[in-house]
Amino acid sequence: MHPTGLAAAGTPRQRKWPSKRRIPVSQPGMADPHQLFDDTSSAQSRGYGAQRAPGGLGYAPASASPQEAFLADPVSNMAMAYGSSLAAQGKELVDKNIDRFIPVTKLKYYFAVDTMYVGKKLGLLFFPYLHQDWEVQYQQDTPVAPRFDVNAPDLYIPAMAFITYVLVAGLALGTQDRFSPDLLGLQASSALAWLTLEVLAILLSLYLVTVNTDLTTIDLVAFLGYKYVGMIGGVLMGLLFGKIGYYLVLGWCCVSIFVFMIRTLRLKILAEAAAEGVPVRGARNQLRMYLTMAVAAAQPLLMYWLTFHLVR
């Protein structure tokens, strides 16, 4: 046999397989060879942080708080400056016009008190018989502050006395199992209503009698508000000692407030008439005297009217 035939018969024939093509694997930075368009989404996502890098133009640092980012904006700074200027102008406007509606400067005068003045004034309200000099002191045509003159009217004692009267009234109603917020509100509103009617009636009377006096509306409120001190004393004694204690203390306080009002208003109303040269026994002066007596006499009546139902 032919040597080549033996070799062919002894060696098995190798099968030919189709050759496999190696497809190159796309690297992370390389594009897919079968892709028609480049994918730029990943590049944008990777570059987004670079666009917002700290210290970039027009962007706040990544670690900055919202408040710092707001203040770093020039528009917000301009808005804040404009708002501050508006607030300053509004405050200045209110300060200029507030005295037209609320006399703040005058109210400060009536609350210029101290502990010594309050003690002396309370003693004067309970024992006006021992006081001799009732003239109000002046300094350069201006009355001195109440803390320097016990005869000067104030609003501190009337205001505190009114609040204390309402609280004592609630206590008296509670001890009698008659307390209710509506009844307590009615008690406070009725006291304010009577005070308002008193002031209006006195102002109208002064106008009709043509009295030229330096007695202001706030002075009237102060003088008429002193009666709440005696009302508090009467109700407290009524709670402790019954009706006997109530009538004794309230009677003393009624006489004291009557004397106090006579001696105080006499200098405000009758002294102006004497300064004007009005005869003492003249008709106009008699009307002023009757007006003073009527105002003083109305205080004990109102003290009893506002307290008698609180003591049983």
Side-chain angles (χ1 to χ4, degrees), residues 199-213 284 288 291:
V199 173
L200 294 178
I202 295 174
L203 291 176
L204 179 61
S205 302
L206 292 175
Y207 174 76
L208 295 177
V209 182
T210 63
V211 176
N212 296 323
T213 177
R284 292 178 57 188
R288 298 180 183 188
L291 175 60

Side-chain angles (χ1 to χ4, degrees), residues 16-86:
K16 294 183 180 181
W17 298 91
S19 61
K20 297 182 178 180
R21 296 178 56 186
R22 295 176 59 87
I23 300 175
V25 179
S26 60
Q27 299 297 327
M30 300 176 59
D32 190 354
H34 299 284
Q35 187 174 353
L36 298 178
F37 302 99
D38 293 338
D39 186 7
T40 58
S41 61
S42 59
Q44 290 180 358
S45 62
R46 288 194 302 271
Y48 182 79
Q51 295 176 359
R52 301 294 188 268
L57 182 62
Y59 295 92
S63 60
S65 62
Q67 292 81 1
E68 295 176 352
F70 177 78
L71 294 177
D73 190 359
V75 178
S76 64
N77 292 335
M78 185 172 57
M80 291 179 60
Y82 183 69
S84 301
S85 63
L86 285 181

